[in-house]
Amino acid sequence: RLVVSHERHPPLLSPPPDPACWIFPSTTPNTRVKLNAMLAFRDLTRSRAVVAVSALLFLTCLSSVAAFTPASGFHGASLFAMQNTRCMGRAPALGPRMVATPERATPASMFAPGQKVGPQQPGQESPVKYEYDNQLLDKNKVEGTKADSGHLRFPLQQEMADLDEISISHDSMIILKHHGSYMQQNRDLQRSDKAGYAASYQFMLRLKNPCGKIDAKTYQAIDDLSNKYGQGDLRATTRMAWQIHGVKKENLKKVIAGIAEVGGSTLGGCGDINRNIMTPPAPLADPAYQHVFQTANFIAELFKPSSPAFEELWMDAKKPKDVEYWRKDMVEGSTGKNHIPPVALTLEELDKKISEAQAFDQGTGIITGDPEEPLYGRCYLPRKFKIAVTVPGDNSMDIFIHDVSLIVIMDEDGKTLKGYNVMVGGGMGRTHNKESTFARVNEMLGYIPKEDLTEAMKAILATQRDHGNRQVRANARLKYLVHTLGIDNFRTLAEKYFGKSFQPAVPLPEWHAVDWLGWHPQGDGDWFVGINVQQGRVKDEGDFKLKTALRKIVDTYGTDIRLTANQNIVICGVKPKDKEAIQALLTGHGIKDISEIDALTRKSIACPAFPLCGLAQAEAERVMPDFNARVGALLDKMGMPGESFIMRMTGCPNGCARPYMAELAFVGQGPDLYQVWMGGSPNLDGRTGWRWKDKVKAAEMETTLEPIFYMWKTQRSSQAERFGDFTTRVGIDAINAYIEKYETGTAFKNVVREELAPLTRTVTKSGTMTKPRGSGARLTSGPRKQQIRVTDELHSMLKAQAEAEGLHISDLVEQLLVHSVKK
């Protein structure tokens, strides 16, 4: 079947090769054969009829020629791999195109030269039959676009060279994501200023920041670039990465190259590859935390795309002047005293280790055979792939929501890394009114010794690469594969790739949603300070001049900065002599001390949503401060001053701000309409919330929440029972039955005010200790792995005291012991 359409092709970067050398790639099921030879014909013939007839004759001549898929380095690949899907909101210019449609995707059509395994021919056989078929890709055009991209080059390379156009095509947007950028428009103008909206194409850049870390040199660069080419602010994401908004197409290459030249990168910020790896943001000298950081850095390099497309597109095929700072962190002695342990002695040795680890083939179907992408193959992964690493007990990065989560297990000496517990199958994204999509927490896969880390992680990635659902993109995440197989069958399949068995997991202590705000000792003589940043927006506005303050601190003291999973900022490596000056600088620029931040604000996060996110259905970042204030005022009016819980908001159901883990969440469902979720854990430890109401108007939020808050106040087991625990315990039926009988305004009659623990930690005459509810600060750092035996009677006493103070029993014991030892 032949279809002739009229879309203008982006210009080639160089003149096409001689027609006698034209070789066409094999067809793919979605993007199909692009007969870009028509470009040359168009210059010779202006008549559409002549062009169409010429194309048909030319295709007939080629029908007996075997199809050939050029390697991405082939000189003419740019001619053949170009996609011509129009960009949203842009009328296509004229120009002919012809496509052909095959029936099924096969290894011959979807694999790179030399590739032996992949989604159409898995390296290992599944223990069950799937309801989906990875050879039927007609509804998932992204797979064809990736296959035709020449390993993340085309059609982006051609379209970025066309500076007459201020936007790029949909196919190019798919490829651009892997390089760390999204195209956006200012949706505030969509109805009021159509001309302005049409001219508002711009690009968001997302950096890759393993461990949430950015060194001083890279921070200075993105600060300057955001002022010169962006909209003048920066944003901390919920995945501990930096974003720059408002970059025009003509400046995109300058900004990406500018970041790379100083040792940063945007490669892997987005796309169907491994994303930014999250860890605790606290730069502690504790060996367990140091092993977390090195593990994250190593995996970030292990799963980085091997294709040289990034350097070719943005660096003119040259290497950056400086190497990535996280690579320096893995080399002995390169980044100071907290460097435990080195992965290599030199950068050359590190590169060799990473390359050998990527290419090592034990013959179990992990290595694809694709010479450019031995791990990913020609089509990369079905969807994004998210990883987190932490120590037992520290849940400062929502450990249950990732595709893969690693928990470091230390030897009894507390200094030697023993291995890792591995969890798989978490994820937040879902779609309204589509029950086949859902949020999910990950499950325990098992334990691996430290020497098996590389092959175990490669095995999990290969399992998802080959068996993840590529037929239906909405169900392509690893969580759906784990859900489909069940954790036992998934383990069986992953073990086939691994070549070994996962051992039983090591028992873990309770999880704590630590936020690491305020001042803390690092354990090496230096200090760090966590700063609350509402919804992660780093800007200067009125008396609040966070952007200026951070730049002054980085310029003066050369500090590294880390981001938290709650969009906050941690300033690291502060010398004791500089603490007072840095605190004064922050205060002088309008940055509040953590004791001045109300608990609701401290625990809340929101996605950007409007005006730039193309998926937003309702506001999020811009209205979250108001929601915090309104909920706080409602609780105060009901006699619950200072009460708090984890509250989150997103503009759509994709879940970037992890709303489904929150105790209370608002998910955009239309203009000023929100789906309300409840029931998440106050420590984010192993359950999602549940949907309560649909399409609640923003203006009616108080009247909607009033009865459920009053039910919580009057029916909770004790003041220590958190909102998420209470709503989960009583359940949706009891809540709805209560609300049906509730009389509006009851909560404001004969109000009994409940007093919470004071805002600062104090020791009473009886020797007990109090602390603010939800405070993440601990008096000691590191994982809790030592055990102390007590009698049942004493345990009951401690448990009762902990509940009365709103503490976990481990926190109470720690405070009592520290106080006693110091005394």
Side-chain angles (χ1 to χ4, degrees), residues 627 630 672 696-703:
F627 269 61
R630 289 166 60 188
D672 294 323
V696 175
K697 295 180 180 179
E700 298 176 357
M701 206 56 66
E702 284 88 348
T703 56

Side-chain angles (χ1 to χ4, degrees), residues 518-582:
W519 285 97
H520 301 267
Q522 293 184 177
D524 60 355
D526 291 345
W527 290 74
F528 69 92
V529 59
I531 301 168
N532 181 259
V533 184
Q534 284 204 60
Q535 283 66 68
R537 188 68 63 177
V538 177
K539 60 185 177 181
D540 288 347
E541 187 174 87
D543 294 333
F544 178 77
K545 300 187 181 300
L546 177 59
K547 197 164 189 284
T548 296
L550 288 178
R551 183 57 184 267
K552 287 183 178 179
I553 290 171
V554 170
D555 286 349
T556 304
Y557 303 100
T559 56
D560 293 337
I561 290 176
R562 292 181 187 247
L563 300 179
T564 81
N566 283 358
Q567 303 172 294
N568 297 317
I569 286 174
V570 173
I571 300 171
C572 310
V574 177
K575 303 297 179 186
K577 65 181 179 63
D578 298 326
K579 271 185 66 181
E580 187 175 337
I582 287 178

